[in-house]
């Protein structure tokens, strides 16, 4: 984590260019627009939460199906790939017992950490997804504290690129980074997202969307066991 000012300066000075060209499969000539996007999300964080402390940046991509449409529901095999459209966030612990997530263009979601039970009036809302993912980390024994996050997405809703799965993976990745020392692997974060979507959001779904977003790149997944799916990254040019 770095201060807001240091992070913005690092983006402007090209310190993150290598990471951004890798993350978005772009060349150095195109990296400025991605740097500017992260500066925008930092500005959104600062305007929303009025902080000048340290922050961290996070990303979770949308995904596209390549082969195996809906076979994840049937213990089958799929090939899927993440895309260079993503949900990004600036986030920081806030020292309270409350999680506040503001997504650009949407009302702020506020979750009290002593209220992690399922709420039927939250079905089909972002708050339900956030609450369910926090619950999985807490059940694993992690001490999740309050945090603030501002998110921006260019994964269009209803586009078939799984914007909801990208948001779930983003929330899991933020919590993993801020409170779990990055100890929870990509497969588990994907499963946390599925749990939140199935149980807290009240929507039946498979695991392909979350897995493709969380693992990233192009992947082959064998869902013979949905508890222990076999995941293999595929090489491609």
């Amino acid at each position: 984590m770095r201060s807001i000012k240091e992070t913005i300066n690092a983006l402007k000075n090209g310190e993150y260019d290598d990471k951004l060209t890798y993350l978005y499969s772009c060349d150095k000539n195109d990296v400025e627009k991605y740097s500017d996007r992260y500066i925008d999300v930092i500005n959104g964080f600062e305007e929303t939460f009025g902080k000048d402390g340290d922050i961290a940046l996070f990303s979770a991509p949308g995904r596209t199906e390549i082969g195996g449409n809906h076979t994840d529901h049937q213990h089958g095999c799929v090939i899927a790939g993440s895309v260079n459209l993503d949900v990004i966030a600036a986030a920081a612990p806030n020292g309270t017992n409350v999680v506040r997530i503001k997504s650009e263009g949407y009302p702020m979601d506020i979750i009290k950490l002593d209220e992690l039970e399922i709420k039927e009036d939250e079905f089909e809302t972002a708050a339900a997804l956030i609450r369910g993912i926090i619950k999985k980390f807490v059940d694993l024994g992690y001490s999740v504290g309050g945090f603030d996050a501002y998110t921006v997405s260019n994964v269009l809703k209803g586009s078939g690129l799984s914007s909801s799965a990208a948001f779930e993976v983003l929330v899991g990745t933020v919590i993993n980074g801020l409170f779990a020392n990055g100890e929870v692997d990509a497969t588990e974060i994907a499963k946390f997202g599925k749990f939140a979507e199935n149980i807290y959001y009240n929507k039946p779904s498979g695991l392909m969307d979350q897995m493709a977003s969380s693992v990233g790149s192009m992947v082959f997944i064998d869902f013979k066991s949905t508890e222990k799916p076999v995941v293999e990254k595929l090489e491609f040019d």
Side-chain angles (χ1 to χ4, degrees):
M1 295 182 68
R2 305 172 75 171
S3 73
I4 287 175
K5 183 177 180 180
E6 288 175 339
T7 306
I8 289 176
N9 285 339
L11 285 161
K12 289 181 176 179
N13 295 334
E15 289 184 39
Y16 293 118
D17 283 5
D18 287 342
K19 290 183 178 180
L20 292 171
T21 54
Y22 172 77
L23 192 62
Y24 295 103
S25 297
C26 66
D27 60 35
K28 291 291 178 69
N29 295 324
D30 293 326
V31 76
E32 184 177 353
K33 66 182 180 182
Y34 295 108
S35 294
D36 288 345
R37 187 162 169 256
Y38 279 92
I39 291 171
D40 287 343
V41 83
I42 294 169
N43 289 335
F45 178 93
E46 193 171 21
E47 291 168 6
T48 302
F49 301 108
K51 293 190 173 183
D52 57 0
D54 291 349
I55 59 165
L57 300 176
F58 300 89
S59 164
R63 70 95 191 99
T64 184
E65 298 174 69
I66 297 167
N69 186 27
H70 292 298
T71 56
D72 56 326
H73 301 272
Q74 310 298 328
H75 303 279
C77 297
V78 303
I79 296 175
S82 61
V83 297
N84 61 357
L85 301 173
D86 59 350
V87 191
I88 63 174
N94 60 26
T96 74
N97 197 42
V98 175
V99 170
R100 301 186 298 179
I101 299 181
K102 175 72 169 74
S103 297
E104 183 182 49
Y106 295 90
M108 186 181 298
D109 292 303
I110 300 175
I111 308 295
K112 295 180 179 178
L113 293 174
D114 56 359
E115 297 179 6
L116 296 182
E117 69 278 3
I118 298 168
K119 295 180 180 292
E120 292 188 6
D121 61 349
E122 275 187 352
F123 282 171
E124 300 185 6
T125 68
L129 298 174
I130 299 163
R131 198 181 304 274
I133 292 166
I134 294 171
K135 181 67 164 60
K136 292 298 288 185
F137 277 94
V138 170
D139 286 349
L140 277 182
Y142 289 102
S143 181
V144 178
F147 66 92
D148 297 327
Y150 186 87
T151 83
V152 173
S153 176
N154 59 11
V155 185
L156 301 176
K157 291 188 68 174
S159 64
L161 297 176
S162 294
S163 59
S164 59
F167 180 76
E168 293 158 20
V169 169
L170 181 77
V171 172
T173 303
V174 169
I175 297 171
N176 195 32
L178 296 182
F179 302 105
N181 298 312
E183 295 171 357
V184 180
D185 67 25
T187 296
E188 288 302 305
I189 287 176
K191 288 162 69 174
F192 291 0
K194 179 181 183 298
F195 166 82
E197 189 166 310
N198 294 169
I199 306 302
Y200 277 69
Y201 191 88
N202 196 37
K203 177 185 175 183
S205 70
L207 185 60
M208 178 187 67
D209 297 351
Q210 294 88 347
M211 192 74 77
S213 176
S214 189
V215 174
S217 191
M218 188 183 292
V219 291
F220 165 83
I221 311 168
D222 184 343
F223 286 107
K224 182 177 181 180
S225 168
T226 53
E227 285 302 308
K228 293 184 178 181
V230 176
V231 183
E232 178 185 347
K233 280 198 173 186
L234 301 178
E235 297 298 325
F236 64 99
D237 63 27

